[in-house]
Amino acid sequence: MKPAHPNSKNRGFLYHLHPPLVSQNVLKFTHTWGLGGSALVLVLMQIVTGVLLLFVYSPTPEAAYPSIIALQQDVLFGKLIRNLHHWGGNFLVFIVFFHMLRVFFTGAYNNIRKVNWWIGLGLFLCVLISNFTGYLLPLDQLSYWAITICTGMFEYIPLIGTVIQKIIIGGTEIGKATLSNFFAIHVALVPMCLAILMPFHFWQIRKAKGVICPVPPPNSPDDAGVQKVKSVPHLVSREAVMALVIIAILFLLSVLFNAPLADKANPGLSPNPTKAPWYFSGLQELLQHFHPLIAVFVIPFFTVLSLICLPYLKFEKAAGGLWFLSKKGRRMGFVSAAIALVIAPVLIVLDEYIINISVLLPGVPAVVADGVIPVVLLMFFMMGFYKIMKNKFVASREEGVQAVFIFLLVCFVVLTITGVWFRGAGMALTWPWNLK
Ligand code: HEM
Ligand code: HEM
């Protein structure tokens, strides 16, 4: 047998992921909710089910749809594997989004964790691209038209939009080249990026000596110095339970609900309404209210920019693992969310039926009437909201900024829900029970 290296403590693979001792705080389920670990389990499930799908799926316009039908009808457990892959992909967007929120609301993006925040953003992009490219692969009416809508949005990006659109589609309309591009990105490029970014992500967590944890007062019962436990088995066994729960939920979803499959794609007949996949519904809903340049370019651009720059914001008070900065921050968060839950639907309805700035200001260019004016009004509103919240709660700057962030986040969720459940034929506002 090969002798162990003199410096090696011969601890095994798991110690590449966890330090030998972890603070007891980390074991509390409430701390990270196991979301990062769940995301990892789902990515692994996607790889396993994806490889199984490859045995049957054919990436050509003629054969793609029939191969999915054959998979569902003639292959043992074919339908289940497709369901697992479909729900797994969608579940992953959800889990990764909540993981990102957990990182944000516990302030785990600062200092030593800065690089990991950026790697995380890269991972989020990979997850979105995986879902988006996978969406086209069955080549049914649903996927063909959803991808048509989404790739059409690129046209509104100034200067480089149409070039990017042509590269992605591989021409001027969705066809053979698009399917090849999406297939290659889906089964090779993105998995490769995930395979590079994920180990890097985990290494960074290890480098930061584990996940962020609120520092307990010295000599308190929670004092990290006193309450250290071995990560194997204490942490690892909890992670295993979490993984089994996630797999069980995924199987349950896949047994109960079939992945949607409409008729074969028909480029001559668009369904009404034609909707983007649910994770881009918020963006599609923005298009109903703002000039496309604002909805598709300006707002997403500044959102991504602020996410990238987040670790550079010099907060006086680092959250240090505390949820929502403080108890006051949490209360302000609830109030902001409640206000957004009222204001966002009201504004959507007003904009749909009553307010029409282009009609009120005839002769003003559409980009000003439907873009610049509403954005400036909203910016003034947000500044007022920040001031009022900060004064009312006698809060710090950080708590005020967080309240604004929560307000915008809830507005985005309302937009997404509206796009998914409240838009019917012609993208008119409809009750969910009237949707076909
Ligand atoms: C994070 C990783 C992944 C995500 C989020 C993801 C997501 C998706 C989604 C949402 C679909 C459409 C499913 C449907 O409604 O029919 C799909 C299809 C597909 N994916 Fe993936 N996927 C991932 C990784 C992979 C990998 C690694 C492979 C293969 C190596 C793969 C192979 C396939 C195939 C062959 C299809 C077409 C079959 C079908 O549509 O059911 N996927 N993927
Ligand atoms: C495929 C996607 C992802 C996987 C598999 C993943 C996995 C993980 C795991 C296992 C952890 C440690 C446990 C936990 O915090 O739950 C973690 C922590 C972390 N993740 Fe992710 N993550 C993903 C996406 C993201 C995203 C989108 C972001 C943010 C933009 C992010 C930022 C972070 C940060 C900053 C930490 C360290 C948190 C701390 O020290 O408390 N991750 N991730």
Side-chain angles (χ1 to χ4, degrees), residues 324-379:
F324 299 100
L325 295 164
S326 60
K327 276 197 177 138
K328 190 192 287 172
R330 193 178 311 184
R331 248 183 302 132
M332 289 171 74
F334 275 121
V335 173
S336 310
I339 296 175
L341 274 177
V342 175
I343 287 190
V346 169
L347 281 182
I348 290 174
V349 172
L350 283 180
D351 188 47
E352 181 89 357
Y353 297 114
I354 298 170
I355 307 171
N356 192 338
I357 301 181
S358 319
V359 174
L360 290 174
L361 302 172
V364 174
V367 67
V368 177
D370 299 331
V372 179
I373 295 178
V375 167
V376 171
L377 287 176
L378 277 181
M379 276 168 65

Side-chain angles (χ1 to χ4, degrees), residues 36-59:
S38 307
L40 171 64
V41 171
L42 286 174
V43 169
L44 295 177
M45 286 293 286
Q46 287 308 100
I47 293 173
V48 172
T49 49
V51 169
L52 289 175
L53 287 172
L54 278 183
F55 283 96
V56 179
Y57 178 76
S58 263

Side-chain angles (χ1 to χ4, degrees), residues 15 34 72 77 149 161 196 227 232 314 336 388 436:
Y15 290 102
Q72 303 211 130
F77 295 126
I149 284 280
I196 294 169
Q227 300 287 328
V232 183
K314 284 280 166 265
S336 310
I388 292 171
K436 276 193 215 128

Side-chain angles (χ1 to χ4, degrees), residues 237-254:
S237 56
R238 278 165 173 78
E239 286 173 341
V241 170
M242 192 66 205
L244 290 176
V245 169
I246 288 292
I247 293 173
I249 294 174
L250 185 57
F251 265 88
L252 199 68
L253 270 178
S254 307

Side-chain angles (χ1 to χ4, degrees), residues 177-199:
T178 323
L179 192 60
S180 300
N181 283 357
F182 275 46
F183 183 68
I185 295 171
H186 189 80
V187 304
L189 190 63
V190 177
M192 219 165 66
C193 294
L194 283 172
I196 294 169
L197 289 177
M198 284 201 319

Side-chain angles (χ1 to χ4, degrees), residues 135 158 170 202 274 331 399:
Y135 204 92
F202 304 145
T274 305
R331 248 183 302 132
E399 287 158 344

Side-chain angles (χ1 to χ4, degrees), residues 317 325-326 328-329 332 394-403:
K317 193 162 75 178
L325 295 164
S326 60
K328 190 192 287 172
M332 289 171 74
V394 200
S396 66
R397 188 168 61 108
E398 296 77 30
E399 287 158 344
V401 171
Q402 184 179 254

